[in-house]
């Protein structure tokens, strides 16, 4: 398993949704900054927590909140409405502080 650990601030409040079989998924985006001064760069990482663990932290995941995330990293790929290939980094959260 690959493990990716980072800290950052939430860009907006976390959202909860459910799969067709009733499983809960809590998703949120974290701004992860690197570099200094005019060379600073921000990368947005989409994070997801499944099940009761995600439900229990949902009230605390509000815009601007600083979080530490550790989880499995992957690239989510899809085709947009115009048929262009898109990709975004995603982390399935194992540990959240």
């Amino acid at each position: 398993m690959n493990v990716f650990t980072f800290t950052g601030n939430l860009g907006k409040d976390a959202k909860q949704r459910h799969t067709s079989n009733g499983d809960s998924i809590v998703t949120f985006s974290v701004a992860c900054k690197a570099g200094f001064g005019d060379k600073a760069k921000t990368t947005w990482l989409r994070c997801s927590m499944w099940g009761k663990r995600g439900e229990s932290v949902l009230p605390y995941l509000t815009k601007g909140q600083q979080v530490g995330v550790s989880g499995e990293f992957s690239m989510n790929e899809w085709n947009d409405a115009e048929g262009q290939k898109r990709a975004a980094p995603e982390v399935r959260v194992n540990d959240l502080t």
Side-chain angles (χ1 to χ4, degrees):
M1 175 172 105
N2 63 27
V3 177
F4 186 62
T5 304
F6 61 96
T7 60
N9 293 4
L10 296 175
K12 58 184 172 181
D13 293 351
K15 294 186 179 179
Q16 182 180 20
R17 59 187 174 90
H18 294 86
T19 63
S20 58
N21 64 354
D23 292 335
S24 172
I25 306 169
V26 172
T27 58
F28 52 95
S29 294
V30 179
C32 186
K33 293 183 181 180
F36 297 98
D38 58 346
K39 297 197 187 256
K41 181 178 176 183
T42 301
T43 301
W44 286 93
L45 299 161
R46 182 182 170 156
C47 301
S48 62
M49 289 185 81
W50 291 68
K52 294 197 181 288
R53 289 179 58 223
E55 291 176 4
S56 66
V57 297
L58 180 64
Y60 306 103
L61 298 175
T62 57
K63 182 178 180 177
Q65 182 70 38
Q66 186 174 32
V67 293
V69 178
S70 182
E72 189 172 344
F73 178 83
S74 65
M75 286 300 286
N76 187 15
E77 297 179 353
W78 71 96
N79 291 325
D80 66 10
E82 288 101 33
Q84 293 185 354
K85 201 170 202 173
R86 301 281 184 181
E90 189 167 343
V91 178
R92 185 164 181 173
V93 179
N94 294 330
D95 189 34
L96 180 71
T97 53

